[in-house]
Amino acid sequence: MTPFDPSVYEDPKIKTTLAMLAQGKSKQEITEHFGHKGWFTIDQYFRRRGFRWNGNTFVPDEAETTSAVDDARFLNSKAGQIIRQLSQNSANIRQVALKNGFATVDEMGDYMKGQGFVWDSEQENYTYSESLAKKQRDTQTAASQAFSKTPEDLEDYKELLAYLLSRKDKLFALLETENEGTLPRYKFRGSKANKTLAFPTSVLTLLSDFSKEFNVTQREIIEVALAEFFRKYGYEEQLNSVLQA
């Protein structure tokens, strides 16, 4: 592969296109700006000069030397903003998550995954994954095709719909818990009693940190953990019998 020449950024067409993409302009708007009939002409112009399309903008086609921070330089989106913030010295991933409106780091990770980015532990930042982005696009395409099916086509989904309807209460409960973004609360019957358990110090550290960060008691955390465990592993009926109404 021919080494990428950074001087290509001085090309007026390259510079203008990247600036318009950073401003959130659509492919159609950029195509019309240059008077082309289609986006293909612009795409080929960039590819001949060592660029590739990463799903949001054009970046140098050098996977081995191009980092997520480089890719995000012209990325005018929340994903690009997160990557740039994490690239700063002494960046705190929890603070970055909260600053961008996410309750947890995992929630931010799910968002980035949906945008085609995966966590790179060596760089301590997110990096673009073409295979993941393609999978996301394929999923979206399949979903749009499903909604465009005729009533006759939907016959294939009757069995699945019947299954989902038979478990709608559990689905609603699960979705409500996921969307709240807060810790679920369980009120158990009975008086309080002491129980001494030995945990690894790493677990105790996580317990203490979570308690302080999200302003919940350690007892509440353990009660929620046990309730979720019983619910997940076939003890839901017994769990419900000891919960307060």
Side-chain angles (χ1 to χ4, degrees):
M1 179 184 294
T2 304
F4 180 77
D5 182 6
S7 66
V8 73
Y9 282 114
E10 298 305 316
D11 182 313
K13 189 170 186 176
I14 298 291
K15 184 182 296 186
T16 300
T17 303
L18 291 176
M20 293 181 74
L21 286 168
Q23 294 166 9
K25 301 293 185 183
S26 67
K27 291 182 179 180
Q28 182 64 32
E29 290 174 313
I30 297 173
T31 299
E32 292 176 353
H33 174 82
F34 289 108
H36 297 309
K37 293 183 178 180
W39 179 255
F40 178 78
T41 303
I42 296 175
D43 183 76
Q44 289 302 303
Y45 187 88
F46 271 80
R47 291 183 187 279
R48 293 192 187 101
R49 287 157 181 77
F51 287 89
R52 63 178 173 83
W53 179 254
N54 76 349
N56 297 283
T57 188
F58 289 102
V59 296
D61 190 15
E62 289 185 328
E64 68 278 8
T65 58
T66 303
S67 68
V69 178
D70 296 326
D71 287 358
R73 177 164 44 162
F74 297 103
L75 189 58
N76 186 28
S77 67
K78 180 180 284 190
Q81 184 176 349
I82 290 171
I83 292 172
R84 288 190 291 271
Q85 290 173 0
L86 288 173
S87 69
Q88 302 300 314
N89 292 332
S90 303
N92 185 302
I93 191 169
R94 289 182 180 177
Q95 293 178 358
V96 170
L98 293 173
K99 183 185 294 186
N100 286 277
F102 300 103
T104 65
V105 172
D106 287 340
E107 187 178 318
M108 181 172 71
D110 290 338
Y111 168 80
M112 294 298 286
K113 185 177 179 181
Q115 302 301 308
F117 291 88
V118 295
W119 180 254
D120 187 323
S121 56
E122 292 185 1
Q123 297 183 26
E124 294 187 345
N125 207 329
Y126 293 96
T127 185
Y128 186 75
S129 169
E130 181 61 41
S131 60
L132 177 59
K134 182 179 183 302
K135 183 178 179 181
Q136 296 291 347
R137 291 194 297 270
D138 291 344
T139 300
Q140 293 174 359
T141 300
S144 63
Q145 290 175 346
F147 282 111
S148 65
K149 288 182 178 293
T150 64
E152 291 77 13
D153 295 327
L154 293 176
E155 288 292 328
D156 298 336
Y157 295 91
K158 277 190 173 180
E159 184 177 348
L160 175 60
L161 290 173
Y163 176 83
L164 294 175
L165 286 171
S166 69
R167 290 160 175 76
K168 64 179 181 179
D169 292 338
K170 289 185 177 180
L171 284 172
F172 287 150
L174 177 62
L175 291 172
E176 287 171 0
T177 300
E178 290 292 330
N179 290 333
E180 285 174 1
T182 57
L183 198 68
R185 303 289 179 174
Y186 295 95
K187 293 184 178 180
F188 291 87
R189 296 174 182 171
S191 58
K192 299 294 186 293
N194 293 327
K195 179 72 174 179
T196 302
L197 297 172
F199 291 100
T201 55
S202 57
V203 174
L204 292 176
T205 299
L206 289 175
L207 185 64
S208 176
D209 288 348
F210 191 97
S211 174
K212 293 175 182 177
E213 183 169 346
F214 295 98
N215 194 31
V216 293
T217 67
Q218 295 185 15
R219 179 182 60 79
E220 288 175 321
I221 297 172
I222 293 174
E223 286 183 350
V224 169
L226 287 172
E228 294 294 315
F229 180 90
F230 294 144
R231 192 181 296 278
K232 182 176 181 180
Y233 291 102
Y235 229 59
E236 184 171 4
E237 185 176 342
Q238 293 86 335
L239 171 65
N240 292 335
S241 67
V242 298
L243 289 176
Q244 294 182 13

